Amino acid sequence: MSASAPSFVQLEGVTKRFGDNVVLDRIHLAVDEHNVVCLIGASGSGKSTLLRCVNLLERVDEGRIFFDGRELTNGKVDVNALRRNIGIVFQAYNLFPHMTVLQNVTLAPKKVLGHGRRKADGRARELLRRIGLEEKAEEFPDRLSGGQQQRVAIARALAMDPKLMLLDEITSALDPQLVSEVLSLVRSLTDEFGMTMIIATHEMSFAREVADRVCFLDAGVILEEGPPAQIFSSPKQARTQEFLARVLAAGRL
Amino acid sequence: MHRFLEAFFSPHAFRQVFPDVWNGFQTNIRMMVVAELLVLAFALAIAVVRGLPGRGAWPLRALAVVYTDTFRGTPLILVALMIGLGIPGLGIKGVSDRSNFVYGVAALTLVYTAYVTEVYRAGIESVHGSQRMAARSLGLSYAQALRYVVLPQAVRRVIPPLLNDFVGLQKDTAIISVAGVTEATIQATNFSSSYFNFTGFVVAGVLFIFLTIPLARFTDHLIRERELRERAQAV
């Protein structure tokens, strides 16, 4: 955690306010390469904002963020170049409705990386094959189920070959029976590629399974963090216990 | 009754006046086509300028607002008179020596660009911010996100109101007669003042109706199609 050798992703005292509302309060977080960190906590605890600060979709008010050995928060970073290396998947998928599945996946490789059509299409079809949606390549997103759309959104992010993936409650908008197809895709990212990921999620059993470390956020503060076994079995903080008890009562653990 | 029919629907006058009005009407169509193409391009550019982010773009945004407010508020007939009568008198080389047709198209373009800018702007604002965010998060620049993600969706949504404005533009080419463009209305006016017969106006009116009906029906069709599509999505 020394300043001279920051982790792959490192947040130091990151603070974010919306007006008078402190959404993130001096967050410290370090993520090593090939690790998966899950952020848990109630809605409004700051999980999504934290993810959006990491790829500079939100401007940090105080503190510093490092990624892959460089500081992101000194104002000198080319945000477009940075975002090539950081994929993000949103709760509401945010696919482009006027483009086919294939065009959704190839847009950024073509326009940002300058790949030719043949190369971009080939790579996209390969990704679609891997997520089991190759036959949907020419369909428009509104013809797909929520789970399928979210898998396409993941493929769209992967098409940029990111070094880091941020998943922002990607199963929250899905019907329960569609959740597992998305989660198993995420699981394969860690198993097969060792993808570094920061995942904001309400799926506790999933977090327990894939996370190297779990952070419990409460009112913009990381109140407790540790290996999943410890957080889920013997949480130290009263707030964490309370939160997990509530989640358990809702049948999500 | 007979005098009424004779004044407005005289077959004899029809045969006399039709060739001139038809000739003039072709000028209306030419003005309409050129103005519509210019309006489509300029209005899009100004709508984009109005949406530019950042403090640095403030003067540009302000300029765009002043322009749209001014020309949406000014009657077309005034703009047509100012340009058609005023500009030639200025004696500016390359500007004051243009034909009345050019001044007419300029007046139509100035006024209708202001309307259509607002139509585009509504379309751009109707595209949810999460679309832009998704595009930017993939590494696309502001301009690329606009070009490939926001504008295609925005333009698709505003095609019906946009065509509606074009129906208005087509009719308003008649107003350009005040700038001395020899179009259908002028031809009908000339005829009426020579023969005290108004059949020429009826001919011109019918031609305008025939021109706008297809566009109006096409607009209806697009609106209906979109309603069906949105209902299908909601299910």
Side-chain angles (χ1 to χ4, degrees):
Chain A
M1 271 260 195
S2 70
S4 57
S7 298
F8 189 62
V9 182
Q10 184 154 330
L11 283 72
E12 290 179 355
V14 167
T15 297
K16 173 71 189 174
R17 296 182 200 90
F18 290 123
D20 292 335
N21 186 14
V22 181
V23 188
L24 296 177
D25 190 3
R26 284 159 292 171
I27 294 278
H28 289 270
L29 178 69
V31 183
D32 290 325
E33 210 166 358
H34 309 303
N35 272 15
V36 175
V37 169
C38 281
L39 310 175
I40 61 170
S43 299
S45 57
K47 306 187 296 289
S48 294
T49 308
L50 195 159
L51 293 182
R52 282 163 201 208
C53 283
V54 172
N55 73 348
L56 302 183
L57 281 177
E58 296 284 358
R59 191 194 299 264
V60 172
D61 291 320
E62 282 162 38
R64 304 200 292 175
I65 300 177
F66 296 88
F67 169 66
D68 201 9
R70 285 191 311 155
E71 183 180 350
L72 307 184
T73 38
N74 57 10
K76 292 177 193 154
V77 171
D78 175 354
V79 291
N80 298 328
L82 167 76
R83 289 178 188 145
R84 283 172 215 173
N85 294 316
I86 303 180
I88 185 165
V89 182
F90 302 95
Q91 177 177 343
Y93 338 132
N94 299 358
L95 293 179
F96 307 130
H98 61 298
M99 296 182 183
T100 64
V101 164
L102 188 71
Q103 289 167 335
N104 263 277
V105 178
T106 56
L107 176 70
K110 281 182 189 163
K111 302 304 174 190
V112 178
L113 302 179
H115 289 176
R117 204 174 74 105
R118 181 169 300 198
K119 183 174 178 185
D121 283 3
R123 171 98 172 96
R125 285 186 191 281
E126 184 194 315
L127 279 166
L128 291 174
R129 185 162 54 244
R130 199 147 58 198
I131 64 171
L133 291 175
E134 197 192 11
E135 79 282 6
K136 302 282 187 192
E138 318 301 336
E139 296 273 18
F140 284 89
D142 62 359
R143 306 275 298 168
L144 273 56
S145 74
Q148 291 171 335
Q149 291 192 47
Q150 194 58 294
R151 281 148 64 198
V152 172
I154 293 171
R156 181 173 72 177
L158 288 176
M160 296 296 285
D161 282 320
K163 296 177 183 166
L164 168 69
M165 285 280 276
L166 309 170
L167 308 185
D168 188 2
E169 296 188 23
I170 59 169
T171 57
S172 296
L174 295 177
D175 292 339
Q177 69 268 26
L178 302 177
V179 168
S180 66
E181 67 184 54
V182 172
L183 292 186
S184 65
L185 173 59
V186 175
R187 210 172 283 129
S188 76
L189 294 183
T190 63
D191 295 347
E192 294 167 31
F193 305 99
M195 182 68 77
T196 313
M197 289 194 276
I198 308 178
I199 304 175
T201 186
H202 288 301
E203 299 290 334
M204 297 305 153
S205 53
F206 174 72
R208 180 176 219 156
E209 179 194 342
V210 300
D212 294 294
R213 224 162 69 253
V214 175
C215 301
F216 172 65
L217 266 85
D218 185 66
V221 176
I222 295 183
L223 212 56
E224 185 166 1
E225 66 172 295
Q230 184 253 309
I231 296 285
F232 290 115
S233 309
S234 49
K236 295 193 184 82
Q237 299 285 336
R239 301 280 299 171
T240 319
Q241 293 165 7
E242 234 172 81
F243 172 75
L244 290 173
R246 249 184 306 147
V247 170
L248 193 65
R252 298 191 82 152
L253 188 62
Chain B
M1 187 65 187
H2 176 74
R3 279 180 58 188
F4 171 77
L5 286 177
E6 185 56 38
F8 288 96
F9 299 97
S10 154
H12 176 69
F14 175 84
R15 278 191 296 276
Q16 270 184 296
V17 77
F18 185 83
D20 287 342
V21 172
W22 174 245
N23 253 333
F25 192 67
Q26 290 173 11
T27 305
N28 291 78
I29 293 179
R30 276 205 303 278
M31 277 197 287
M32 158 200 128
V33 170
V34 177
E36 280 175 2
L37 290 175
L38 292 174
V39 165
L40 278 178
F42 287 140
L44 185 61
I46 294 170
V48 166
V49 166
R50 271 196 82 159
L52 285 178
R55 216 166 295 168
W58 179 84
L60 284 172
R61 281 198 301 270
L63 211 63
V65 172
V66 168
Y67 164 74
T68 46
D69 283 358
T70 305
F71 283 97
R72 255 189 337 159
T74 317
L76 174 61
I77 191 162
L78 285 182
V79 179
L81 286 170
M82 275 190 279
I83 294 179
L85 306 182
I87 301 283
L90 294 179
I92 305 168
K93 209 166 182 290
V95 177
S96 297
D97 45 11
R98 300 285 166 183
S99 70
N100 288 341
F101 179 87
V102 171
Y103 298 134
V105 167
L108 281 168
T109 305
L110 272 171
V111 169
Y112 272 90
T113 296
Y115 284 111
V116 174
T117 296
E118 293 301 301
V119 172
Y120 275 131
R121 200 165 67 96
I124 290 171
E125 282 172 7
S126 78
V127 178
H128 198 268
S130 60
Q131 285 287 309
R132 209 182 284 242
M133 191 169 66
R136 295 304 305 275
S137 76
L138 287 165
L140 271 73
S141 66
Y142 177 88
Q144 286 175 321
L146 197 66
R147 160 79 180 78
Y148 298 111
V149 175
V150 178
L151 289 183
Q153 296 183 59
V155 169
R156 241 163 269 207
R157 281 180 210 183
V158 300
I159 285 174
L162 203 138
L163 292 181
N164 205 37
D165 275 350
F166 279 177
V167 171
L169 189 153
Q170 296 184 0
K171 290 192 300 177
D172 279 355
T173 54
I175 290 178
I176 300 307
S177 58
V178 302
V181 178
T182 317
E183 47 72 74
T185 320
I186 288 262
Q187 296 288 13
T189 310
N190 292 345
F191 183 80
S192 75
S193 44
S194 312
Y195 298 92
F196 302 105
N197 186 290
F198 309 100
T199 305
F201 291 121
V202 174
V203 170
V206 170
L207 288 175
F208 274 109
I209 291 172
F210 279 141
L211 185 66
T212 51
I213 281 179
L215 194 54
R217 284 297 87 77
F218 182 59
T219 310
D220 291 346
H221 167 75
L222 286 178
I223 292 173
R224 202 163 42 241
E225 212 175 45
R226 185 170 61 171
E227 274 171 2
L228 286 176
R229 204 170 45 233
E230 278 166 6
R231 209 168 307 149
Q233 273 175 10
V235 168

